[in-house]
Each structure stands twice: as C-alpha cells, then as structure tokens.
C-alpha cells in the first residue's frame, strides 16, 4: 500500500474541488464539516461499516481535519465499526484492513483519529442466542438479533464516551435518497438552527449527517472520481463506472477503493448495512454489508451474487443460511421447533382480547 504524500493529496483536492456534489462544490462540504467540528468540544464518533456511504463520510471528515491547522484539531474523533461476529467474511477483512489503514494514516498526518471495533457480549452473540438459548432464527416479527448484536454494543461505546465527555456527536453516512425512513426520523429530531439532530434513544448524544443530500453518484465520485463518465444511452445521460486499477484514486489515508467497488459490483442494487444505533434503522438483510446468517429476508441475494462472482467457497454458508430461513416457516414449525421449552414448560396458544392468536 502506497501512502499519499502532501503533493498527491493536494493534486487530488485540486482535481476534485470543482466537482459538483448535489449542486455544491466539495470544498463547501469540507468547510461545513470543519465549521461543525470547530463549533464545540464534543468529540465525534463516526459510524463506520466499511461500505460506500460510511467510507464517503470518513473521506470527507479526513479531508476536513487535514485542512485544519494542528492547533484547530482540538478534539478526538472515534471511528467505530460494529462486528456481529457473523458478518460476511470478505467484508470483515475489508473493514479490518480499512480501520488499520485509517489509523496509520491519521498517525502519519497528526490527526486525532482512533479506530475501534465493537462486538456483542458473549451471551448475546448469534450462536449463544440461537443454539444456547433456543431462540428461533430471526424474522421480521421477531428480529431479536438487531438490538442484541448491533444496537447494544454501539450504544455501550457511545455511553462510555458520554460518561467521559458529557456529550458526543455521532457522525453517520445516512443519505435521504437511500433511506427515506431514516431521513424522516433525523428530520423529526433536527435541532432548529443547527446542523445536528437529537439522538432518538441516547441522552447527550447528537447526530450529524454531512452527506445527507448526496446521491449515490456523489458517493462514488469522492471515492473513485476518475472512473465516472457520463454517456448518452437509450435512457438518457447515464454515469458509467470503470474499475481500472491503474486509474484508481487513493484514499487520503492511503490505499485504494477498488476492493470496495468490487464488493458492490454486479450486486443487483444491494446496498450497505449502516451502523445501527437505534431501532429506526431498517433491516440490512438484502445488503452486501450484513450478516451471512440473516433470515429476516427470504433470500440472501447478496450472498448469491458473491457466489456467482467467484466466491464458491461460500456455498456451504448459503446452504446453512437457507436451512435457517426455512425453519421460520409456520408450516415447518413442528419439524424444527419443540413445543416443550428447555425449562420444561409447555408452549401453548391463548387468545388476547382482540382475538389475535399468540404463542405463549
């Protein structure tokens, strides 16, 4: 991996600063990020999944800090990645390598950035709950995994920082175009006259979404600018992306985004799984950046796509995941579930006042 020197970085910024991002120059977004960073002493916690949106935010924040004088970099920036311990293996490798590169780059450039990974408590891992406690595979109506494996570890990290600094700002790669529901939640909790929103569940934590208005083309533009070409097609002017490694721009901390691009290539519109900080974040079962054991969706098209693109070694994982998914079918419940619980109690049906049948 070749690290960027200052001339490389300046050449990159000079080349990209006049590019339009939703009608504004990149330099304007960098300046906005610097303004929010310098406005107070509250440390930042960047939610980093390793996907395109969180990588774009990480790049933007890195640019912003590089553009500040050393004495202006007055507060820490914590980059936190959540590992459920059942993430897609190549995504785990990508995130681990990215975190290492970001931390090395920050140390070289004198930036107050540190990288951290959080995992579920040992009694709340996927296997501890399903095999140890006898939970059924997750479904849309019983998605026990999200809170235990994602929300709780990240919330604990944020609470620890709140206890040390009183308040923190969580920086996310949420975009209104990609997640309308998430955008509505943030808008609802937006602080009047501020760039921040109140966290929906954590006291003394605030949300900052610097690329909220960006489109997906803007995201790839900051990650792989030289590969964007506008071409006339039967459907109008469309952007076409290329993956020529010799043309690939390097990230400001060093390294290239070709691996990230390949993870998304031919993904049938699959996106990334965002850092989950509360229950308003939608399921990421259809995502490349999700758990390989996810049974919230009927089919894992992302894993199927990876296998079709050469990752045949994942076939046993997909087979096992499909068995888990079938076990959630009401028609197959007697085959996979025992009516006698592990503590000896019998599971039986009762009626609520609204006549809805439930299993107790």
């Amino acid at each position: 991996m070749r690290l960027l020197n200052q001339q490389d970085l300046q050449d990159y910024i000079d080349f990209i600063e006049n590019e339009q991002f939703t009608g504004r120059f990149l330099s304007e977004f960098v300046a906005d990020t610097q303004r929010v960073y310098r406005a107070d002493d509250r440390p930042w916690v960047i939610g980093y999944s390793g996907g395109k949106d969180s990588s774009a935010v990480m790049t933007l924040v890195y640019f912003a800090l590089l553009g500040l004088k050393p004495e202006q970099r007055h507060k820490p920036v914590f980059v936190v990645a959540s590992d459920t311990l059942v993430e897609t293996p190549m995504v785990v490798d990508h995130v681990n390598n990215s975190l290492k590169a970001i931390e090395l780059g920050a140390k070289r450039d004198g930036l107050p950035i540190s990288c951290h990974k959080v995992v579920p408590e040992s009694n709340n891992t996927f296997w501890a709950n399903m095999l140890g406690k006898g939970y059924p595979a997750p479904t849309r109506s019983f998605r026990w995994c999200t809170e235990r494996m994602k929300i709780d570890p990240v919330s604990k990290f944020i609470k620890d920082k709140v206890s040390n600094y009183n308040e923190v700002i969580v920086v996310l790669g949420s975009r209104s175009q990609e997640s309308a529901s998430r955008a509505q939640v943030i808008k609802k909790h937006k602080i009047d006259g501020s760039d921040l929103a109140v966290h929906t569940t954590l006291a003394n934590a605030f949300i900052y979404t610097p690329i909220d208005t960006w489109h997906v083309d803007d995201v790839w533009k900051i990650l792989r600018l030289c590969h964007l070409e506008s071409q006339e097609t039967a459907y109008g002017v469309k952007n076409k992306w290329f993956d020529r490694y010799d043309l690939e721009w390097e990230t400001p901390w060093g390294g290239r985004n070709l691996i990230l691009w390949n993870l998304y290539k031919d993904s049938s519109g699959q996106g990334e799984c965002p850092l989950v900080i509360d229950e308003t974040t939608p399921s990421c079962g259809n995502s490349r950046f999700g758990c390989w054991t996810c049974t919230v969706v009927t089919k894992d098209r992302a894993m199927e796509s990876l296998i079709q693109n050469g990752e045949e070694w994942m076939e046993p994982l997909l087979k096992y995941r499909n068995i888990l998914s079938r076990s959630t079918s009401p028609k197959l419940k007697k085959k996979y579930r025992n009516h006698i619980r592990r503590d000896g109690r019998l599971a039986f049906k009762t009626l609520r006042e609204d006549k809805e049948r439930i299993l107790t």
Side-chain angles (χ1 to χ4, degrees):
M1 178 181 71
R2 182 174 71 85
L3 297 180
L4 285 177
N5 57 42
Q6 288 301 314
Q7 187 58 51
D8 290 333
L9 180 61
Q10 191 57 51
D11 290 344
Y12 179 88
I13 294 176
D14 290 343
F15 189 79
I16 199 174
E17 67 179 357
N18 291 322
E19 289 293 321
Q20 293 283 317
F21 287 72
T22 60
R24 300 179 65 202
F25 295 120
L26 178 64
S27 57
E28 296 179 66
F29 285 98
V30 172
D32 285 346
T33 305
Q34 291 173 331
R35 174 177 51 78
V36 176
Y37 175 83
R38 296 182 60 193
D40 52 56
D41 294 326
R42 291 176 288 187
W44 281 12
V45 176
I46 299 180
Y48 183 75
S49 71
K52 65 183 190 307
D53 295 331
S54 62
S55 295
V57 162
M58 189 67 243
T59 302
L60 180 63
V61 171
Y62 204 101
F63 278 153
L65 292 177
L66 276 176
L68 294 175
K69 296 178 181 179
E71 61 270 19
Q72 294 174 323
R73 304 164 186 162
H74 64 291
K75 63 185 183 183
V77 175
F78 304 101
V79 181
V80 58
S82 175
D83 185 353
T84 62
L85 304 180
V86 283
E87 305 289 333
T88 304
M90 62 278 298
V91 172
V92 174
D93 291 340
H94 166 65
V95 171
N96 288 341
N97 292 336
S98 297
L99 291 176
K100 183 178 179 180
I102 292 169
E103 199 152 53
L104 286 174
K107 184 177 181 180
R108 174 202 67 209
D109 295 324
L111 305 182
I113 297 175
S114 60
C115 297
H116 311 265
K117 282 188 69 175
V118 295
V119 298
E121 296 287 345
S122 58
N123 65 333
N124 269 329
T125 65
F126 183 84
W127 305 115
N129 279 285
M130 197 182 74
L131 299 181
K133 300 177 184 177
Y135 278 38
T139 63
R140 289 185 179 275
S141 59
F142 187 36
R143 195 187 305 166
W144 53 262
C145 52
T146 304
E147 182 175 0
R148 291 169 172 80
M149 294 162 53
K150 289 200 168 189
I151 296 177
D152 287 349
V154 175
S155 295
K156 183 177 183 299
F157 183 90
I158 296 175
K159 288 177 181 178
D160 287 344
K161 299 309 172 188
V162 169
S163 66
N164 292 331
Y165 297 95
N166 296 321
E167 292 183 345
V168 300
I169 295 175
V170 182
V171 185
L172 300 177
S174 301
R175 294 185 298 110
S176 297
Q177 184 199 44
E178 187 162 75
S179 178
S181 60
R182 183 70 185 154
Q184 290 175 354
V185 171
I186 292 178
K187 183 178 180 180
K188 178 181 177 182
H189 293 86
K190 195 88 173 190
I191 302 172
D192 290 339
S194 172
D195 296 285
L196 307 179
V198 177
H199 195 287
T200 57
T201 57
L202 296 179
N204 297 331
F206 301 86
I207 304 295
Y208 177 43
T209 53
I211 65 169
D212 175 63
T213 60
W214 287 20
H215 299 287
V216 66
D217 288 349
D218 298 313
V219 171
W220 285 116
K221 190 180 292 185
I222 197 173
L223 297 176
R224 313 183 76 235
L225 175 66
C226 60
H227 291 273
L228 178 65
E229 264 191 25
S230 296
Q231 297 182 350
E232 188 70 41
T233 70
Y235 303 98
V237 177
K238 297 292 183 180
N239 290 326
K240 185 174 182 180
W241 303 93
F242 298 89
D243 57 359
R244 285 186 56 190
Y245 189 73
D246 59 312
L247 296 177
E248 185 73 28
W249 284 107
E250 293 190 357
T251 63
W253 50 83
R256 296 179 172 181
N257 285 314
L258 183 64
I259 293 176
L260 178 63
W261 171 251
N262 285 335
L263 283 171
Y264 280 95
K265 188 173 61 176
D266 301 326
S267 61
S268 303
Q270 315 286 343
E272 69 180 277
C273 184
L275 185 86
V276 180
I277 58 172
D278 55 42
E279 293 180 348
T280 65
T281 307
S283 167
C284 46
N286 279 327
S287 166
R288 280 199 179 283
F289 288 76
C291 304
W292 69 266
T293 56
C294 184
T295 51
V296 174
V297 292
T298 306
K299 283 190 174 184
D300 190 330
R301 301 192 186 280
M303 187 149 49
E304 291 175 354
S305 179
L306 287 171
I307 292 172
Q308 291 172 2
N309 290 332
E311 303 292 343
E312 291 91 351
W313 64 271
M314 293 189 70
E315 289 181 357
L317 300 184
L318 179 61
K319 182 178 179 181
Y320 185 79
R321 179 261 163 210
N322 289 340
I323 292 174
L324 291 179
S325 181
R326 287 197 297 273
S327 73
T328 65
S329 170
K331 295 181 180 179
L332 298 176
K333 191 167 186 177
K334 290 183 178 180
K335 178 179 179 180
Y336 292 105
R337 304 291 296 171
N338 196 321
H339 67 282
I340 300 178
R341 295 182 175 181
R342 293 192 176 192
D343 60 4
R345 291 184 299 162
L346 292 177
F348 58 92
K349 289 184 177 180
T350 186
L351 290 175
R352 287 179 176 169
E353 290 184 2
D354 58 5
K355 306 303 181 183
E356 178 186 357
R357 296 182 67 85
I358 60 172
L359 187 66
T360 61

